[in-house]
Every structure is written in C-alpha cells, then in structure tokens.
Amino acid sequence: MSSRKSDTAGVDSLPLQPVEAIKGVGPRLARLLKAKGLVTVEDLLFNLPLGYLDQRGGIPVSKLRPGDYVSFVATVLGAREVQYRRRKIYEVTLSDGTGVVTAKWFHYGRWLIQRFQRVKSTLRVSGTLRVFAGQLEIHHPEIEEEEVVTEENGGGIVPRYSPIPGVAPRTYRRIMQEVVESFVPQVVETLPDAVRQYFKLLDLRSALRQVHFPTEFPEVSKTQKLSSGLRRLIFEELFFLELLIIRSREDLARETGHPMVLDRDFLGRVGKLLPFSLTKAQKRVMREIAADLGQKRPMNRLIQGDVGCGKTIVALLTALIVISNGFQAAVMAPTEILAHQHFVNLKPFAEPLGVELVLLTSKLKSKEKLTSTKAIASGEASLIIGTHALIQKHVTFKRLGLVIIDEQHRFGVLQRLALRHKGGSPHVLVMTATPIPRTLAMTVYGDLDVSIIDELPPGRTPVETQVIHAKQRKKVYELLRQEFTRGRQAYIIYPLVEESEKSDLKDVTSMKEHLQKEIFPDIPMAILHGRMAGEEKQKIMTAFAREKIQLLVATTVIEVGIDVPNATVMVIEHPERFGLSQLHQLRGRVGRSSHYSYCLLIHEGLGLETRQRLAIMEQSNDGFRIAEEDLRIRGPGDLIGVQQAGFIDLKLANLVRDADTLAAARQAALTLMKKDPKLTKPAHGAIKEKIHRQSLQAAELLKTS
Ligand code: ADP
Ligand code: MG
C-alpha cells in the first residue's frame, strides 16, 4: 500500500512528516520520491536497502588472488614517476589496510599525473593482479574515484536502494543520511523493554541506523543469519501481524452473528442436483461447517485442500444453507476468470432452487455493474460472485450472512477483514490450495479454524509428470496429437516475469502461430494472457470450457482454480522459472476427471540443482510434500503463494526464512494480550498507536480498493 496517509495521526511513534521536511528535498525531488510511493519520512525509513556495496574494497587486498581480474578499493599512499633504464614508468602505491598493490603505467600522459595530484579520496581499482618479485602489481588498471566515504556513514559500506527514476543513487543516499541523522532520534520505541530484552532485540533507533548504514558488512546469503537490525524490524512487523490476528480472533469471539438452521428439505433438493456424491473428506468438512453455522459466534474457518479435491462444492453447499435461512452469501475470487467460472458452474444449482445469482467484477460494463450492485443492495440477489470489486465502498449488502474467499493466498489479511466488515458479523469461509507447511499454518492462519480435505474424488489417477528436453519436443507433440484425437484438451503455459513484458507475450503469440501453422493446423486453439480485455478472456475461457477450443496457449493467468475436467495435458515451458508449488498448481489444471493426464515440463538444459528440484514433480503429486521438498532443496526461499502472491501484507519478513522470529513474535503478542488486553499500560502506548494507525490504513483500503 503506497497510499499511506501522512496526516492521520497526531502524536506518533514514527516521523510522519512529508518528505519535503527533509533538508535538501525540494519540490522536484519530493515529486520523484512520491511517484515511487515514498510520501513520508517513515516511508523512507522503511524503504530498506536491497543490499550494500562494500566500498572498503569488497574483497580485502590480502584475500585477492594473483592471476584474477580483481576490483578493490584503496587509498593512494604515493605516486611518482620512476626511471627504468631508458623508460619512464608511473607508479602508484595503493593500500586498503590489509595489503599493498603497486599500480604501474608504462604509457601515460600528463593527465594521469594530474589526476593523481587531485585525488583526495579512495579509488576503485580494477585489473589483472600480478606478482613481481614477491610484490603485488597491477598494470594499466581502470581507476574510478569512489564516493567520499566517511566513518559516520558506515565506514565504507554504502546501502544500495531500489532505483528511483530521476534520483541518482548518490542523491538518494545523501537523503537517507539526512533522514537517519535528523529523524531517527524522533522515532519512539514500540516494543516494551521486557520484550526486547527477552528476545534480545535491538532498540528501534539502532536497528534503523544499522539497517541503512551498517558498520559491518551484512551477509547477503539467504541462509546466513540476518543482521540484528533487520531481525529487529522483521520481529516488529511479525509482532504486529500476530497482534492483528490474535485480536481479530478475540473480537470475533465476542461478536454475535446469525445462527443458521439446517433446512433438511431444502438440502435434500440440493442433494438431488449434485452429479456425484461427496467424498468422505467433503462430508466431514460439511459437518464441521454446519456445526459452526449453528453457533451464535460467527464461523471463521479455513478449508485447506490440494488442487482438485473439490472445495467449490463445499462452498456452494455452505452458501445454500445460509441462503435458505434468508441471508445473502458472497463469494470473492482472486481473478475475473475464476469468478466467472464459479458463476457459470453454480448457475445450474441456483436456478432450479430459485436462488438469484449475480456476478460483480470491475471489468463488467457499467450498466451490468449497476444492475448487480442494485440487486445486492436490495437483497434481491442472494448468491453473489465477484472479485475485489465486492469490497468497494459503494457495494452494500442487504443481509450478508456468509463471506467465502476462494484461493485465500491471493488476498491479504486486510482484504479478508474488509469483506467481513461489509455486513453485521457474517460467517466467513476461506479456501486455499496453497500448501503451507503445517508448522506455519497456525501462525499465519492463527485467527481461523482449519478443516482439511485430504482426499481426492474417486477415479482420479495421479498426473504423469515428465521433465523433457526441448530437443524431444516432437514427443510432446505426438502426445498432444494422441489426446486431441481422443477429444481431450490441453494447455501450454509460458512464464511471465511481468504481465507487461512484451517479449513474453511474443512468446505466447508466436508459439501459437507456429503450432497452428506447422503442427496442428486442424486443432482449434487460442491464446490467453493477462493483458487481454476481460470480455475477451471470458469468451476464450468459455469456448475452452465448452470444448470449442482444444489447445490453450497461455501465461500463468490460468494458474488459479481453472476447472476444465476434459483437459488432460499440461505443457509448461521454462519450468525452471517457476517455484515447485506453482508448478503443482498449474499441474492441478489437469487430472480433474477419470481421464489419464500428463504434465510435461520442457526445458532447454538444466543445472543439477534445478534438475533435482524438478524431479520432485515427477515423483510426487502431493502438494504438502512438494512444498516441503521445495524448502529442503532450495533452502528458505519464497514459497509461492505465501509471499510472492501477497498472501499476507508483509514487506520485510519471509515466513519461511524467518520462521523462528515468527514464533517468537507470536509468543510475545500472546503474552502481551494476556497481560494487558486493552493496552492501557503506558509502556504499551506506542503499540496502541501503531495498531490504531493500522486500522486507519485498513479503513483507507476499504475506501480506495
Ligand atoms: P478445487 O478444490 O481445486 O477448487 P474443484 O472444486 O474445482 O477443486 O473440483 C475439482 C473437480 O472435481 C470439479 O470438476 C468438481 O466438479 C469435481 N468434484 C468435486 N467433488 C467431487 C466428488 N465428490 N466426486 C466427483 N467429482 C467431484
Ligand atoms: Mg478451486
């Protein structure tokens, strides 16, 4: 969220002045900073460096290896012209404190001499290192003057920030120096002393100073321990997340919602409409849900189940219970395609039962939107399917009794809370296929009760997965041909680094053209990507679902939730660019019926590690196992869906890497809520303020999203 307001709180624990308050920041710079979402001094303080440049030389001279092309930073001890027989050589003695290197120029002009007369600071020197008579030498090196490095700004370690268009890195660093110098002293500590001592955390001011201008070179490797400054800031972020989760659970416990009764008659009629009988796991989860719905306290339940296990039907049944009690049920899906798919799939149930179903997404025509919002407000619509559009301010419900959030990992905690706040304490059901390691589930879903669907519908065979070299593309085409002949459908997926990247779209487009012209001229196919207009996407998805299109060449827009049971082949190009969990999600688009299905991962050569990683896809169809293997092999990296997809609103922490810190933060938050639930103690004043500010932000989100 970059739309943080600077004028929302009076006294605060952090400097909320606009960036113009910083010495040296005029209107022009301020504009450039704001364009990057850096509006307040606080924004700058929490815009942490991506890394650091070690301008002490990176590698000390004593560690440099002769024969290598090296680059180091050193100061000039002396420079002179030396006469060697008939030849003049210019020699400069350089040192970084750990060793001495002599730079030699055998040809040079006056400019070189003048340059060394001017040099006052350190130099970056690059060239091939040699040994001559036991001494290190470097001939005709490249030299560059380094920024003036002083003790105060970290003794030669300078922060490297994400680039800001129009602002030179050097300028930004100067601004940050000023910010740290003038504003960090105003920062008020948020964590009580007892917590800081117990968890051995730096104070907030020192942490901020250290993160921006460290005195020691922080390790860059992911597996390395974090610097104590960063750890402190991460702890803080997780502590407030946990407070939010714990408090919202407690708020919920105090809320009275709408107890629902089961109308057996109605459910009997629903049962007759189902084309299959529920699996044991689905039945168990339905019982858990029915029990929740009967309570005065609103339900707040998460259904976790691997791709294809049949969560949608559980959602529908839950919605129908609520609707038969005279309430509205809203389903929020992360993408338009998915919302539309739910709409189409649920229609055959809604119509015969006399349930009024509407769709609301931001891409609808404004007339359609108006019709939908009216029906929602009047209570005429009882089953509402939509996207983020549902949490917009102007959408009001008549009698909202249930909120269902599909593919929870695509939404943040705040969005979930926002929809809940749309109506007097509705029941909440969230559904996810994201395989979050069990050890983490508690801490990130701490405010939810969890149900697990651990069984696939009968007749499913695991998807046969193969990692294939592009040289054997012909085999892939043969398999596709075989399946097309059987009347089945297929996907070919290309990775997209960013939806806006034209070159990636070219891949999709040119691949489709190639396939259509050269390989499958008789097969109806289409492309699908995120930059297409909503209507066009819908048309293509509908045509695919109706089997009018047999091959879909797409980007990852189809990753989440798409359900076309007749599709049996999933081809993924450049699988190395995906996380395993994401590959598992994509693979989950096939194998959704009793037809034997395939997932083919086409690469153009892989390193050993990547090969091993992808081999897991060949061996396992279990989302949990895949996520855990991913972790084990890659080390703490990003679990797709946990972080990348904005699963919760974290800027600094990585839930996997920082699992220990998360546990500690949760413990601290629980203790605090037990000791001082209303946060009335003076020592907790700063916490109270920050929470207040977070809730203002949430309100802001409700207004603007
Ligand atoms: P997900 O859990 O990934 O959201 P879906 O709800 O989309 O999965 O279900 C996947 C497919 O399985 C759908 O085509 C659905 O109709 C079918 N399905 C769900 N439950 C059953 C069942 N009990 N028996 C047979 N098929 C089922
Ligand atoms: Mg689903």
Side-chain angles (χ1 to χ4, degrees):
M1 271 165 295
S2 54
S3 62
R4 228 182 276 159
K5 281 275 147 72
S6 52
D7 55 357
T8 39
V11 204
D12 212 296
S13 50
L14 284 162
L16 295 173
Q17 293 97 316
V19 289
E20 282 95 335
I22 303 161
K23 212 170 77 195
V25 177
R28 195 190 69 91
L29 263 179
R31 209 169 43 238
L32 294 167
L33 293 173
K34 283 177 189 168
K36 258 287 232 183
L38 301 168
V39 180
T40 66
V41 173
E42 184 198 3
D43 292 338
L44 289 176
L45 276 174
F46 284 88
N47 180 36
L48 302 189
L50 300 174
Y52 304 90
L53 295 171
D54 193 344
Q55 301 207 330
R56 301 167 310 182
I59 305 174
V61 167
S62 61
K63 294 256 168 67
L64 297 177
R65 285 188 316 194
D68 286 354
Y69 188 92
V70 300
S71 179
F72 59 94
V73 173
T75 49
V76 177
L77 297 183
R80 59 194 176 129
E81 271 187 310
V82 192
Q83 189 79 39
Y84 275 100
R85 303 213 178 106
R86 296 198 339 258
R87 212 163 157 199
K88 268 189 189 161
I89 295 174
Y90 196 65
E91 280 188 12
V92 178
T93 319
L94 300 157
S95 169
D96 73 339
T98 73
V100 175
V101 178
T102 307
K104 289 187 176 174
W105 282 263
F106 300 96
H107 325 276
Y108 57 94
R110 274 212 64 75
W111 61 270
L112 188 72
I113 298 168
Q114 282 169 349
R115 183 160 184 190
F116 277 100
Q117 281 165 349
R118 275 198 320 266
V119 167
K120 290 204 182 55
S121 64
T122 49
L123 291 178
R124 174 162 294 278
V125 184
S126 312
T128 306
L129 195 66
R130 305 162 192 273
V131 193
F132 188 74
Q135 306 275 316
L136 293 175
E137 290 191 356
I138 196 163
H139 299 168
H140 292 264
E142 279 180 55
I143 50 168
E144 248 179 296
E145 225 146 322
E146 288 283 299
E147 278 175 56
V148 180
V149 175
T150 61
E151 277 305 310
E152 299 95 83
N153 72 15
I157 302 160
V158 295
R160 190 166 55 78
Y161 296 93
S162 141
I164 296 170
V167 184
R170 196 183 276 225
T171 309
Y172 189 78
R173 264 177 229 154
R174 214 184 43 234
I175 296 172
M176 283 314 298
Q177 256 163 26
E178 174 61 25
V179 166
V180 168
E181 227 160 86
S182 314
F183 292 92
V184 165
Q186 295 177 25
V187 169
V188 175
E189 182 57 50
T190 32
L191 298 179
D193 290 350
V195 170
R196 268 177 35 221
Q197 274 159 21
Y198 187 81
F199 293 103
K200 301 199 174 53
L201 298 167
L202 270 188
D203 64 279
L204 189 50
R205 290 180 195 170
S206 309
L208 286 167
R209 280 199 192 98
Q210 199 207 73
V211 165
H212 288 285
F213 297 102
T215 45
E216 277 173 45
F217 197 76
E219 291 298 341
V220 274
S221 157
K222 279 190 199 165
T223 47
Q224 220 82 41
K225 256 179 64 185
L226 298 174
S227 75
S228 53
L230 188 54
R231 179 165 166 267
R232 155 63 210 247
L233 298 181
I234 288 172
F235 183 97
E236 170 136 354
E237 180 171 55
L238 293 170
F239 176 73
F240 280 93
L241 172 74
E242 288 302 318
L243 278 181
L244 177 73
I245 288 173
I246 294 163
R247 283 164 58 92
S248 83
R249 186 182 184 99
E250 286 174 358
D251 286 352
L252 206 64
R254 277 192 296 274
E255 260 178 55
T256 22
H258 315 283
M260 306 281 165
V261 292
L262 292 184
D263 179 344
R264 300 272 164 204
D265 247 23
F266 181 76
L267 287 177
R269 276 198 286 151
V270 175
K272 290 212 183 74
L273 290 172
L274 292 184
F276 43 70
S277 51
L278 297 184
T279 62
K280 267 207 215 89
Q282 285 169 324
K283 281 186 190 148
R284 171 169 38 79
V285 171
M286 276 318 300
R287 275 198 300 276
E288 287 166 350
I289 289 171
D292 282 357
L293 291 177
Q295 305 292 314
K296 268 220 197 86
R297 175 175 94 98
M299 168 170 77
N300 202 27
R301 185 169 288 278
L302 169 78
I303 302 181
Q304 206 168 32
D306 212 344
V307 286
C309 72
K311 294 183 289 292
T312 313
I313 202 72
V314 170
L316 173 71
L317 293 174
T318 310
L320 290 175
I321 295 174
V322 168
I323 291 166
S324 69
N325 277 266
F327 286 88
Q328 292 172 300
V331 182
M332 182 160 76
T335 64
E336 264 172 276
I337 292 183
L338 203 51
H340 193 261
Q341 175 183 290
H342 281 321
F343 182 73
V344 171
N345 287 349
L346 298 186
K347 227 178 182 163
F349 296 95
E351 272 168 3
L353 294 167
V355 168
E356 192 64 37
L357 177 69
V358 299
L359 179 68
L360 183 64
T361 72
S362 49
K363 295 275 169 68
L364 287 182
K365 295 203 183 80
S366 45
K367 221 172 109 194
E368 296 170 318
K369 256 190 262 185
L370 194 65
T371 317
S372 291
T373 41
K374 268 194 186 149
I376 297 169
S378 69
E380 191 191 321
S382 44
L383 183 51
I384 297 109
I385 318 281
T387 54
H388 294 79
L390 289 177
I391 58 175
Q392 283 174 335
K393 193 177 67 175
H394 65 269
V395 180
T396 53
F397 292 80
K398 182 82 187 296
R399 256 160 82 79
L400 185 59
L402 170 70
V403 164
I404 295 175
I405 296 174
D406 194 15
E407 305 296 346
Q408 143 82 14
H409 66 284
R410 289 294 172 124
F411 296 104
V413 172
L414 288 179
Q415 287 166 321
R416 165 150 60 87
L417 296 180
L419 187 52
R420 193 170 95 197
H421 290 141
K422 278 282 176 180
S425 304
H427 297 283
V428 174
L429 186 65
V430 302
M431 309 195 290
T432 185
T434 308
I436 291 172
R438 284 166 228 272
T439 46
L440 278 180
M442 176 60 197
T443 25
V444 290
Y445 292 138
D447 59 332
L448 298 166
D449 299 310
V450 180
S451 292
I452 295 179
I453 304 184
D454 49 6
E455 182 186 1
L456 293 178
R460 300 277 170 88
T461 44
V463 178
E464 181 179 327
T465 304
Q466 277 184 43
V467 180
I468 294 180
H469 195 282
K471 275 189 247 163
Q472 295 175 299
R473 207 174 270 280
K474 246 184 86 192
K475 272 197 188 165
V476 176
Y477 294 154
E478 279 163 18
L479 181 77
L480 283 168
R481 172 59 73 188
Q482 167 202 308
E483 291 298 299
F484 291 150
T485 312
R486 291 179 177 161
R488 307 278 167 263
Q489 294 162 278
Y491 302 93
I492 299 184
I493 305 298
Y494 278 86
L496 252 204
V497 183
E498 250 178 56
E499 289 278 303
S500 60
E501 285 193 13
K502 285 209 184 91
S503 60
D504 291 318
L505 293 184
K506 211 182 81 210
D507 276 355
V508 175
T509 318
S510 58
M511 187 62 183
K512 187 235 162 194
E513 271 161 23
H514 166 70
L515 290 171
Q516 186 79 79
K517 272 205 202 104
E518 327 269 337
I519 318 284
F520 302 116
D522 54 327
I523 299 296
M525 55 178 82
I527 54 176
L528 187 73
H529 58 75
R531 294 219 303 178
M532 287 161 78
E535 224 175 313
E536 207 181 337
K537 272 194 274 188
Q538 234 51 267
K539 260 219 245 52
I540 288 169
M541 271 326 294
T542 310
F544 190 67
R546 294 199 181 137
E547 304 179 24
K548 296 249 159 43
I549 291 170
Q550 256 186 306
L551 175 63
L552 200 56
V553 184
T555 64
T556 47
V557 285
I558 66 118
E559 176 200 333
V560 166
I562 293 296
D563 182 42
V564 178
N566 188 50
T568 54
V569 188
M570 167 60 68
V571 178
I572 301 172
E573 303 272 354
H574 297 295
E576 72 282 356
R577 295 209 215 152
F578 295 97
L580 285 187
S581 297
Q582 200 182 2
L583 289 174
H584 181 65
Q585 273 281 344
L586 286 167
R587 177 169 63 182
R589 297 315 114 215
V590 297
R592 300 176 82 82
S593 67
S594 53
H595 303 308
Y596 196 84
S597 297
Y598 305 86
C599 175
L600 307 172
L601 308 175
I602 305 187
H603 64 92
E604 286 161 12
L606 297 171
L608 181 64
E609 252 178 68
T610 318
R611 184 68 190 80
Q612 281 176 349
R613 194 160 66 84
L614 293 179
I616 293 164
M617 293 297 293
E618 295 175 317
Q619 293 151 14
S620 177
N621 266 281
D622 174 351
F624 280 103
R625 156 120 205 270
I626 286 169
E628 271 157 9
E629 286 290 325
D630 207 5
L631 261 182
R632 198 178 58 78
I633 291 190
R634 288 201 300 174
D638 316 285
L639 266 187
I640 177 71
V642 174
Q643 203 103 38
Q644 254 155 285
F647 158 70
I648 46 180
D649 322 281
L650 292 173
K651 290 199 186 69
L652 310 178
N654 173 316
L655 290 176
V656 175
R657 179 194 61 197
D658 303 323
D660 291 350
T661 309
L662 176 63
R666 180 169 174 81
Q667 188 194 334
L670 282 167
T671 311
L672 175 71
M673 291 319 293
K674 209 182 275 166
K675 269 206 248 162
D676 186 12
K678 293 238 158 67
L679 299 172
T680 45
K681 295 204 175 110
H684 303 148
I687 295 180
K688 197 169 180 172
E689 269 167 34
K690 184 154 172 175
I691 288 176
H692 176 64
R693 221 146 48 82
Q694 278 183 338
S695 66
L696 289 177
Q697 275 173 33
E700 198 67 25
L701 180 78
L702 253 180
K703 269 190 253 161
T704 55
S705 61

